Amino acid sequence: MTQKTRGIVISDLSKVFPKATVPALNNLSAFIKPGIITGLVGPDGAGKTTLLRHIAGILKPTKGTIVINGFDSIQDSTDIHEFTGYMPQKFGLYEDLSVHENLNLYADIFNMSKDERAQRFEKLLHFTNMAPFQKRLAGKLSGGMKQKLGLSCALLRQPEVLLLDEPSVGVDPISRRELWSIVRNMVSEGTTVIWSTAYLDEAEQCEEVIALNEGNIVFAGKPQNIFKRVQGRVFESCAIAKNKRKILQNILKDENIIDGLIKGASLKIIVRDPKTKRPPLPKGNTWSKTSPNFEDGFIDLLGGIQERHSAIAELLTPLEHDPSLKAAIEAQKLTKRFGDFTAAHDINFQVEPGEVFGILGPNGAGKSTTFKMLCGLLKPTEGSPSILGQDLRTAKALARQQIGYMAQKFSLYGNLTSKQNLSFFAGIYGLTAKESKIAIAEMINTFDLKAYIDTPTEELPLGFKQRLALSCAVMHHPKILFLDEPTSGVDPLTRREFWLHINGMIQKGVTVLVTTHFMDEAEYCDRMCLVYKGNIIALGTPDDLKEAVQDKGEQLPTLENTFIKMIERYDAKQQKLYGSQEVSYDT
């Protein structure tokens, strides 16, 4: 390849898909600098994936051009494919092939010689800490390991340009940190990286950021510049003893509030006009200015939150809990073995009625196993899970009527329409024909699904898939809601809407058990446990966990740093007790 000007030049780029009423990309122009990480952010449907596919030479623009390192994305697409690595959201791993076999398959596609691939495999497997797992089937890898294998396949030819479409979705903080380390090493060798992400804390780690909304560029520049939008307009309360959700609901009624969210025992708000009086707090609590982050500026850039009250919560009748009931959910010595492997060991905790309880942990740590035992999807080897005082091992039918379940990756049927999915779940939850008709109508109106009611679910925008998944989980008005990574990959505005509904339901007495890798989301929990290597290694409120690792004289760490520190301390303690051993976050 002849030497040409490096960098990516996007000029007047537009893309209109057949039958679409608005362009997916609308007259975009930008210059992406070489040799740095550029973040690509925006709400669901903003055009991020469409833009990456154009840069990769997969899609042909309706208008405009993209020139990558001096090569035109259409006229020179073959040349571009030679020096570009592309990792799409759904990377094409073959789950019935091993790690090594997947790498070999992609090496075959790239026509790599035997010597070339042997050298490259050794470097990538060492690079990603995956050398011990070469013989493991891809389908048996944890989420973090699958992402690292996908990234390795994209890096086989040492690309000059690396395009990553939300590579860290569904990945725990430790694996996310490892992915960033790998990519930064690539940049140090001269690779240009575009990293599309739904995690806006990741945008802060990029040298430059491009923000898209409805196919338009709404911001381009250094991430620090977006902070300036909200400087002096971000406030945080001191710890609030109780009723923080009710207080937040009242605060969100104020149109001067652009955003409001729970941060452990505190509340955080962004105001439209800092001269306007702040919302009232309980006696003894005050607002103080706090430093903004990228997400604060991004929420402001998009005009702030759209929904300010929960229509689904308004449908619910307040629950009256039996005062003799000690726990809505209880895990008693739960243990699960798969052959010789123990996925969860002696798990004990109680969730009070009307509480939000989180289960956190790295990919493969045992949290999903624990979660599935507690909602009746997995039979424990030992111990007993109970729901509202009923042992799940003997009262499954009763429990099913009391539980709402929203699975990871929205367990909807893609070839069914929205209405057909609602009808199917109504049957699962045992609703009569009359009850089903009423519930389906309620959900369609409450979640504004009318425009998509006859649309196959696989064709829905991600935000509406999430609404539909939640409506399927709550249509029978459950007393307990199980949420398995419910907002993985969802943009901040959609996440705010989701938690607005959940907080409203909690106010009506619903109990929530949630797993999540998104640490800001974990701040909504009243209490949480951290599961690692099949054991609970910490349990308490978000602030309890932060204080446990807080350095003397320092501010409280973030929940993400707390998560990482606790696991590092646990590993160090185990190593001291049992000697040197290889640490793996994969099961």
Side-chain angles (χ1 to χ4, degrees):
M1 189 176 79
T2 58
Q3 186 66 33
K4 295 198 176 187
T5 304
R6 295 180 70 226
I8 301 171
V9 181
I10 303 169
S11 304
D12 302 320
L13 182 72
S14 292
K15 179 64 177 181
V16 181
F17 287 104
K19 299 181 182 180
T21 56
V22 294
L25 300 175
N26 186 26
N27 204 37
L28 306 187
S29 292
F31 176 64
I32 296 172
K33 295 178 183 177
I36 67 169
I37 302 176
T38 297
L40 187 61
V41 302
D44 302 318
K48 302 187 297 296
T49 296
T50 302
L51 178 57
L52 287 179
R53 288 176 178 172
H54 277 81
I55 296 172
I58 297 171
L59 290 178
K60 185 177 181 180
T62 305
K63 180 174 78 74
T65 61
I66 301 179
V67 178
I68 304 143
N69 288 358
F71 291 86
D72 184 273
S73 66
I74 299 303
Q75 297 175 12
D76 306 313
S77 60
T78 302
D79 293 295
I80 288 170
H81 294 161
E82 286 296 318
F83 63 81
T84 300
Y86 176 44
M87 182 178 171
Q89 284 185 38
K90 296 180 180 177
F91 200 79
L93 295 175
Y94 291 83
E95 298 205 342
D96 54 347
L97 297 182
S98 69
V99 168
H100 194 271
E101 288 167 340
N102 268 283
L103 287 170
N104 256 322
L105 175 63
Y106 278 88
D108 288 341
I109 293 171
F110 296 146
N111 293 317
M112 296 177 71
S113 68
K114 187 176 180 180
D115 291 341
E116 187 182 10
R117 70 179 68 189
Q119 184 180 8
R120 195 68 184 149
F121 285 9
E122 184 180 1
K123 181 176 181 179
L124 286 170
L125 290 168
H126 174 73
F127 206 32
T128 57
N129 295 317
M130 289 184 63
F133 307 102
Q134 293 183 62
K135 295 181 180 180
R136 183 168 297 185
L137 296 180
K140 299 294 185 181
L141 297 174
S142 69
M145 282 291 190
K146 284 180 180 177
Q147 293 299 83
K148 286 196 283 187
L149 175 56
L151 184 58
S152 296
C153 292
L155 296 177
L156 273 174
R157 290 183 302 179
Q158 188 74 29
E160 292 181 27
V161 176
L162 179 60
L163 309 174
L164 303 173
D165 196 355
E166 301 197 5
S168 53
V169 165
V171 172
D172 66 77
I174 289 175
S175 296
R176 282 174 63 197
R177 187 174 64 170
E178 290 174 347
L179 285 173
W180 271 95
S181 177
I182 293 166
V183 173
R184 284 197 184 100
N185 271 319
M186 296 297 302
V187 171
S188 71
E189 297 177 3
T191 301
T192 300
V193 176
I194 304 178
W195 184 304
S196 170
T197 181
Y199 297 99
L200 294 189
D201 60 323
E202 290 185 338
E204 295 183 28
Q205 301 183 53
C206 300
E207 282 85 347
E208 296 205 345
V209 174
I210 295 174
L212 295 177
N213 189 37
E214 296 180 347
N216 296 284
I217 293 177
V218 293
F219 173 82
K222 295 188 178 300
Q224 295 80 8
N225 291 339
I226 207 168
F227 296 4
K228 297 175 182 177
R229 296 182 58 91
V230 289
Q231 198 71 47
R233 294 196 281 132
V234 185
F235 296 85
E236 193 166 322
S237 74
C238 49
I240 295 173
K242 57 182 180 178
N243 293 329
K244 59 188 175 185
R245 290 185 172 83
K246 186 174 182 180
I247 294 167
L248 179 60
Q249 282 181 312
N250 289 330
I251 286 172
L252 294 179
K253 295 175 184 177
D254 185 345
E255 291 293 332
N256 186 46
I257 303 300
I258 288 175
D259 189 25
L261 59 157
I262 291 170
K263 300 285 289 183
S266 305
L267 298 176
K268 178 180 175 181
I269 58 171
I270 306 173
V271 299
R272 200 179 305 276
D273 182 358
K275 296 178 183 177
T276 304
K277 189 176 180 181
R278 253 78 68 199
L281 287 170
K283 189 175 180 180
N285 294 94
T286 57
W287 294 109
S288 58
K289 284 185 181 180
T290 188
S291 299
N293 57 30
F294 187 92
E295 183 163 310
D296 297 331
F298 186 69
I299 292 288
D300 181 62
L301 191 67
L302 298 181
I305 57 173
Q306 308 301 315
E307 299 289 334
R308 294 181 178 271
H309 74 281
S310 171
I312 182 65
E314 292 173 359
L315 291 174
L316 301 180
T317 303
L319 296 175
E320 293 185 7
H321 297 290
D322 183 348
S324 65
L325 185 66
K326 293 181 180 179
I329 304 169
E330 185 170 12
Q332 295 179 320
K333 298 183 178 296
L334 285 184
T335 296
K336 182 64 182 178
R337 299 187 189 92
F338 297 96
D340 294 333
F341 174 68
T342 303
H345 176 254
D346 202 23
I347 302 294
N348 292 280
F349 61 79
Q350 292 184 335
V351 183
E352 297 176 6
E355 183 180 26
V356 182
F357 190 92
I359 304 178
L360 310 184
N363 294 106
K367 65 181 184 306
S368 291
T369 300
T370 301
F371 185 88
K372 289 175 181 177
M373 286 191 286
L374 285 167
C375 58
L377 293 176
L378 199 59
K379 185 178 179 180
T381 307
E382 296 171 11
S384 62
S386 63
I387 299 294
L388 299 172
Q390 300 290 321
D391 192 322
L392 273 181
R393 296 172 299 179
T394 56
K396 290 183 179 179
L398 175 65
R400 187 169 63 239
Q401 296 170 356
Q402 308 287 348
I403 289 174
Y405 178 66
M406 184 171 168
Q408 186 180 2
K409 301 186 187 303
F410 317 114
S411 59
L412 302 171
Y413 292 86
N415 58 340
L416 298 183
T417 66
S418 298
K419 190 171 184 178
Q420 287 169 335
N421 268 284
L422 286 166
S423 180
F424 174 78
F425 278 92
I428 285 179
Y429 289 125
L431 300 184
T432 65
K434 183 179 179 180
E435 289 170 339
S436 176
K437 185 176 180 180
I438 293 170
I440 290 171
E442 278 183 348
M443 294 302 103
I444 291 170
N445 292 329
T446 300
F447 288 97
D448 196 23
L449 297 171
K450 192 171 183 180
Y452 295 102
I453 200 61
D454 294 319
T455 303
T457 304
E458 61 191 3
E459 297 177 15
L460 292 177
L462 184 57
F464 276 91
K465 279 184 182 178
Q466 201 255 5
R467 287 186 188 184
L468 178 60
L470 181 58
S471 67
C472 288
V474 302
M475 63 189 306
H476 59 303
H477 298 190
K479 293 180 179 179
I480 296 175
L481 195 55
F482 284 84
L483 307 172
D484 191 7
E485 297 187 30
T487 63
S488 180
V490 170
D491 67 80
L493 287 178
T494 305
R495 193 180 302 119
R496 299 294 193 277
E497 179 185 330
F498 176 86
W499 278 98
L500 180 73
H501 292 307
I502 300 303
N503 287 332
M505 294 175 71
I506 294 161
Q507 287 295 298
K508 293 296 182 76
V510 175
T511 305
V512 174
L513 187 72
V514 60
T515 69
T516 182
H517 287 314
F518 191 78
M519 293 298 104
D520 278 0
E521 183 167 76
E523 296 274 14
Y524 282 93
C525 297
D526 296 305
R527 290 185 304 131
M528 61 182 64
C529 66
L530 178 54
V531 178
Y532 182 48
K533 294 184 177 178
N535 299 286
I536 291 180
I537 65 171
L539 191 152
T541 69
D543 287 356
D544 286 341
L545 270 59
K546 293 174 194 173
E547 289 167 3
V549 299
Q550 182 182 17
D551 292 327
K552 190 174 181 180
E554 296 292 327
Q555 290 184 328
L556 278 180
T558 64
L559 199 50
E560 179 158 325
N561 287 337
T562 299
F563 179 105
I564 293 168
K565 277 188 176 183
M566 283 190 159
I567 285 171
E568 288 176 342
R569 288 184 180 182
Y570 181 88
D571 278 335
K573 184 178 179 180
Q574 295 298 105
Q575 189 173 22
K576 188 175 180 180
L577 287 172
Y578 303 111
S580 178
Q581 56 184 338
E582 183 176 355
V583 176
S584 166
Y585 302 111
D586 185 87
T587 61

